[in-house]
Amino acid sequence: MAKAKAGRTGIDLPALMLRLTVGPMMVIHGLNKVRGPGGLEGTASYFESLGLQPAAVHARVAAGTEIGTGAMLTLGAGTPWAAAGVIGVMTSAAATDHKGKGFFIFKGGWEYVGIVGAVAATIAALGPGRFSVDRVRGKDKGGLLRALLASALGIGSALGVLTVGRRPSDTAS
């Protein structure tokens, strides 16, 4: 047991670095939906153009999810759940804003959201590491199963939201 923990220390710093990269980025992304140009009304208007209904609810849920999961990842609290939230938001973005635009982000493609989602799954696989709230709580495990569950929950949630929250003409395309 002691040897396993000692071997794990090589993962603690990379896990922290990934969490401190993706977590704050998600918080800022969510805050931009609330306080950026146009505020929540502008975000809702944009979501309306993507076919999300009711757009105001989607705007608030997206902003709240981004801020909440970003804060959780930053702190390493509820890490697999936070990763699932990030994966869900990125899946929704890929299926709406980035859909049909190819791979490259400079052409509006899904490159960025795919990488952010993959990094969130990687964080779930690594676990939050020693420098985390989860470690203090004794919940700092990672592993393939956690990554797969976070991915399935995130993707499944996004598909559920998109199934019930899009105009009928948008779901057929």
Side-chain angles (χ1 to χ4, degrees):
M1 180 83 160
K3 186 173 183 168
K5 287 211 180 233
R8 181 138 167 84
T9 59
I11 293 175
D12 293 328
L13 185 58
L16 178 64
M17 292 167 61
L18 287 173
R19 288 188 3 249
L20 293 179
T21 300
V22 175
M25 185 226 28
M26 290 300 296
V27 170
I28 293 167
H29 205 83
L31 288 172
N32 187 59
K33 283 180 171 55
V34 176
R35 297 189 175 197
L40 272 173
E41 295 78 22
T43 301
S45 178
Y46 184 65
F47 280 15
E48 172 86 28
S49 76
L50 296 174
L52 298 170
Q53 294 294 323
V57 171
H58 280 280
R60 284 168 174 75
V61 170
T65 301
E66 290 171 358
I67 293 166
T69 61
M72 289 170 68
L73 274 183
T74 301
L75 297 172
T79 302
W81 301 106
V86 171
I87 292 165
V89 169
M90 295 299 115
T91 300
S92 294
T96 55
D97 189 23
H98 302 278
K99 182 180 178 183
K101 298 177 183 173
F103 175 73
F104 295 106
I105 190 64
F106 62 85
K107 294 183 178 181
W110 58 270
E111 173 184 22
Y112 166 78
V113 296
I115 290 171
V116 173
V119 171
T122 301
I123 292 169
L126 288 174
R130 181 173 23 159
F131 311 109
S132 66
V133 170
D134 285 345
R135 174 65 173 260
V136 172
R137 297 178 53 235
K139 307 272 186 187
D140 61 331
K141 291 186 173 49
L144 179 61
L145 182 60
R146 280 186 171 72
L148 292 173
L149 290 172
S151 297
L153 180 60
I155 293 167
S157 297
L159 294 176
V161 165
L162 293 171
T163 298
V164 299
R166 292 178 88 182
R167 281 181 273 183
S169 63
D170 294 329
T171 58
S173 59

